């Protein structure tokens, strides 16, 4: 699942950079084991270009830190006795993902392999609700997730909170979440998850990263999703494009019809007025509490049954999405556009109109239908991305990602 | 003018990286002299953190390569005899910029200081003209520029050609220039400028880079310009954002009114139909050959005189620009938007409407009027950017930028 690989750096006698080199090599060994394990020490040496002696010493440290474990014997493909196989630890360090949605809360723990080990979801209407109350509820959910993970020997070392809004320079503060009605909410301190440090991140960004990390759209993706609002996130070369102040990707308020109906943001004719879930629900004539409040499931069910109003509302959304994405494709040149979040479930009724619109409008360079694909994660993306962020960070640089007190302190 | 600075790397005994380190330190010394010269050797040592002995050796090489020259004596601020002052060479290696516009050709030579030493401009209608004919004419102009530069002791080492169209993976090929009516034109081989290697680059990209290199908008800029069409280029951290395939920044074909008038690209209601120079000229009731074909100057003159049709056309362009830029600002989050190219000359009649539109539509985050500024270079940007590209490359890494046969070969 974790597919970043990298060759090690050969040891050199230069004294000054010894520590940096060991750090680099620890990461190379951990990445290799994560991507290709179970592997023998000899195979790790082959993959990284490091000597067997160096690999042995690095593996000893990674085992002491609880990041790598022996999982029995594996054939080495060499003459002599089979080596012991190494894999990333299925117990020990883990990532905690948390999520505040407009109509739910979530908590998730993934292990170092990237496997989901705990997944908690709680339906609850958060729109306009007091932030402190919601955060207390989330905190309780986080506690339950940590407990369950602990029972399996997993210890979350950092938490990432997916939020339906803007996170600025301070990753501990949710600056503005229009669909919750929140402004300037300090979330980092308000979710005291047993000392696990927390940072917030926009849900659209996390959904996009999760897709790139676990799916197969390639490393250059514009991910478009509907959750509370409409979000977009551009990933180039596997890295999130954040813009100058970290606010990039606000697709929901791109003007589609400049003289269109007023939007909650204060402007007119924004994409959200045509393709936001609330706009589609209203136009489809669906009550807010249909299908126990799961508007997405209700829309999909009605569209499947052939309901004309629902299909009409989704068709109108598709055209508007295609128009707005024409602008995004012209400006940002993504290799692939991925339809994610709730849109993934509605894709059968969105794709035809979107493809028609994109083919008609993206003309300076030829547009290929295959450039628009559907997310494999759908609404699970942001929470999964939140939990995976920590695991990715550990595997990329275990020394930098170590918790306060070091990895050894975590085990004690 | 060249303000990139960087400290040197202290010498270490590691044998393997000696060559890399010398290369890095050569660049550090050259950058320092370019940014702060004239400087004594002692001052260069202070700036870079390198020893005086190392600086002496590096300066010897840079002088032998013709990149740095002694320019007389300068007070060193130290006890003892004044040191000899060093500056980047005003003769020797230089950058050649070439430009194909819809109604002109250009050639320009800048020295290592970034100063313009040759500037040739030739009005000529290139729309629909045979590419080979235009390239032959450009070749002659390039030859004249090289001759004039040579007379001042300057030797262009590389050429960058500004084109009003799309350059893809192969920098020697102009893939598509709709306003010239050209497709798949191999430009690199067709402009044989006495062995000076040539690559093509989109004019909007070069205009944006020139602005960031010579102006003061900061390193995070969305540069919007009208030349043949309408181009945009995003610079983040001083680097061009190119997208996945190098096609980013196609602002001219962002839909403004999805059901609007048909555009030459095949779509409807593109920004170019409202804010392109051709659209503005037509709506202003101006003949194509007004002001000797300089539509921009003619529009500016009429607007200055208070002509209602011209002001109306520019006001309509301003509103459309504001709408399209709302999308770009929401998606890409630039710190500053710079109005460049021909728009700079028309800014007095564009800014009010653009600012009104942006303030009304960019609402999720507050929009400040100061975020929209006007280019200092205007229509000179792309050609200047083309010539400066080479000089920037030399100063950033003189070893990598050396011509075939090395710097010494250039002098012979």
């Amino acid at each position: 699942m974790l597919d970043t690989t990298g060759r090690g750096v050969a040891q050199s006698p230069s004294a000054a950079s010894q520590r940096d080199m060991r750090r680099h090599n620890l990461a190379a060994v951990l990445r290799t084991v994560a991507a290709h394990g179970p592997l023998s020490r000899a195979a790790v040496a082959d993959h990284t270009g490091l000597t067997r002696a160096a690999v042995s010493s690095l593996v000893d440290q990674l085992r002491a830190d609880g990041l790598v474990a022996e999982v029995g014997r594996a054939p080495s493909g060499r003459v002599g006795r089979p080596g012991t196989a190494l894999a990333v630890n299925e117990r020990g360090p883990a990532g905690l993902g948390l999520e505040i949605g407009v109509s739910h809360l979530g908590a998730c723990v993934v292990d170092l392999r990237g496997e989901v080990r705990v997944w908690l979801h709680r339906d609850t209407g958060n729109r306009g609700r007091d932030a402190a109350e919601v955060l207390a509820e989330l905190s309780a959910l986080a506690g339950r997730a940590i407990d369950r993970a602990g029972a399996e020997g997993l210890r979350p070392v950092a938490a990432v909170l997916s939020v339906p809004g803007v996170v600025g320079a301070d990753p501990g503060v949710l600056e503005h979440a229009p669909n919750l009605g929140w402004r300037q909410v300090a979330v980092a301190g308000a979710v005291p998850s047993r000392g696990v440090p927390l940072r917030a991140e926009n849900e659209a960004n996390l959904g996009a990263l999760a897709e790139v990390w676990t799916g197969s759209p390639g490393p250059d993706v514009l991910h478009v999703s509907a959750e509370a609002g409409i979000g977009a996130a551009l990933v180039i070369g596997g890295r999130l494009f954040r813009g100058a102040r970290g606010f990039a990707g606000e697709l929901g308020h791109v003007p589609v019809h400049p003289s269109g109906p007023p939007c909650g943001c204060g402007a007119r004719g924004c994409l959200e007025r045509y393709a936001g879930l609330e706009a589609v629900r209203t136009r489809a004539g669906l009550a807010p509490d249909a299908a126990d409040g799961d508007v997405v499931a209700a829309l999909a069910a009605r569209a499947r049954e052939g309901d004309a109003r629902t299909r009409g509302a989704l068709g109108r959304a598709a055209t508007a999405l295609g128009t707005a994405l024409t602008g995004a494709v012209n400006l940002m040149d993504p290799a692939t556009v991925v339809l994610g979040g709730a849109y993934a479930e509605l894709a059968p009724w969105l794709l035809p109109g979107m493809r028609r619109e994109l083919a008609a409008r993206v003309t300076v360079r030829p547009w290929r239908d295959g450039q628009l694909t559907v997310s494999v994660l759908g609404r699970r993306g942001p929470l999964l991305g939140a939990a995976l962020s920590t695991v990715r960070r550990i595997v990329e640089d275990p020394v930098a990602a170590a918790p306060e007190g070091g990895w050894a302190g975590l085990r004690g």
Side-chain angles (χ1 to χ4, degrees), chain A residues 51-388:
Chain A
T51 65
R52 290 222 207 173
V55 168
S56 261
S57 155
L58 295 162
V59 164
D60 285 349
Q61 180 172 341
L62 291 170
R63 286 181 63 205
D65 289 346
L67 299 168
V68 159
E70 292 192 329
V71 292
R73 298 187 169 278
S76 68
R78 291 169 185 263
V79 176
R81 67 173 182 85
T84 315
L86 300 164
V88 289
N89 198 354
E90 299 175 22
R91 305 166 66 85
L96 173 63
L98 300 173
E99 183 176 24
I100 299 177
V102 167
S103 56
H104 72 280
L105 297 175
C108 156
V109 177
V110 298
D111 63 27
L112 284 180
R113 301 171 305 172
E115 296 296 320
V116 174
R117 303 288 290 275
V118 179
W119 186 275
L120 302 176
H121 180 97
R122 191 188 159 93
D123 288 318
T124 160
N126 297 322
R127 201 186 292 268
R129 215 174 137 205
D130 179 54
E133 199 182 300
V134 174
L135 291 168
E137 201 176 318
L138 181 69
S139 219
L141 200 68
R144 274 176 54 209
I146 293 171
D147 285 344
R148 291 215 191 163
E152 301 195 33
L154 290 162
R155 293 169 183 267
V157 295
V160 174
L161 169 60
S162 169
V163 292
V166 170
V167 180
D170 180 348
V173 177
L174 169 53
E175 290 203 357
H176 186 195
N179 287 293
L180 294 173
W182 296 3
R183 266 190 195 276
Q184 296 294 329
V185 176
V187 292
V191 186
S193 310
R194 324 242 177 113
V196 177
L198 179 144
R199 69 178 173 87
E201 175 64 276
N202 173 268
E203 61 184 8
N205 288 348
L206 291 170
L209 288 171
E211 192 68 25
V212 169
W213 290 337
T214 68
S216 54
D220 301 310
V221 164
L222 179 65
H223 185 265
V224 180
S225 58
E227 310 290 341
I230 297 172
L234 184 71
V235 180
I236 292 273
R239 300 266 157 205
L240 206 51
F241 173 81
R242 294 180 180 275
R245 293 164 305 175
F247 296 159
E250 195 67 74
L251 187 72
H253 299 280
V254 165
V256 172
H257 293 282
S259 322
C263 178
C265 78
R268 303 186 80 90
C270 300
L271 176 62
E272 215 163 280
R273 291 293 288 117
Y274 303 89
L277 290 179
E278 194 58 23
V280 175
R281 182 191 64 71
T282 308
R283 199 165 185 99
L286 201 71
D289 54 357
D292 294 329
D294 190 338
V295 171
V296 181
L299 287 170
R302 286 207 181 190
R304 207 170 288 117
E305 289 159 10
D307 178 69
R309 278 184 81 180
T310 303
R311 290 205 172 176
L314 287 170
R316 182 166 166 268
T319 303
L321 276 166
T323 307
L325 282 174
T326 296
V329 166
N330 276 329
L331 288 167
M332 304 169 92
D333 182 30
T336 308
V337 176
V338 178
L339 203 55
Y343 285 147
E345 284 160 67
L346 301 169
W349 306 280
L350 292 174
L351 283 179
M354 291 178 69
R355 290 199 161 131
R356 193 169 50 240
E357 192 74 3
L358 283 160
R361 293 192 182 276
V362 179
T363 54
V364 181
R365 278 116 33 198
W367 171 259
R368 291 172 293 100
D369 266 0
Q371 279 179 261
L372 176 61
T373 66
V374 179
S375 160
V376 295
L377 298 171
R379 285 192 269 175
R380 299 171 73 238
L383 182 54
L384 184 60
L388 284 175

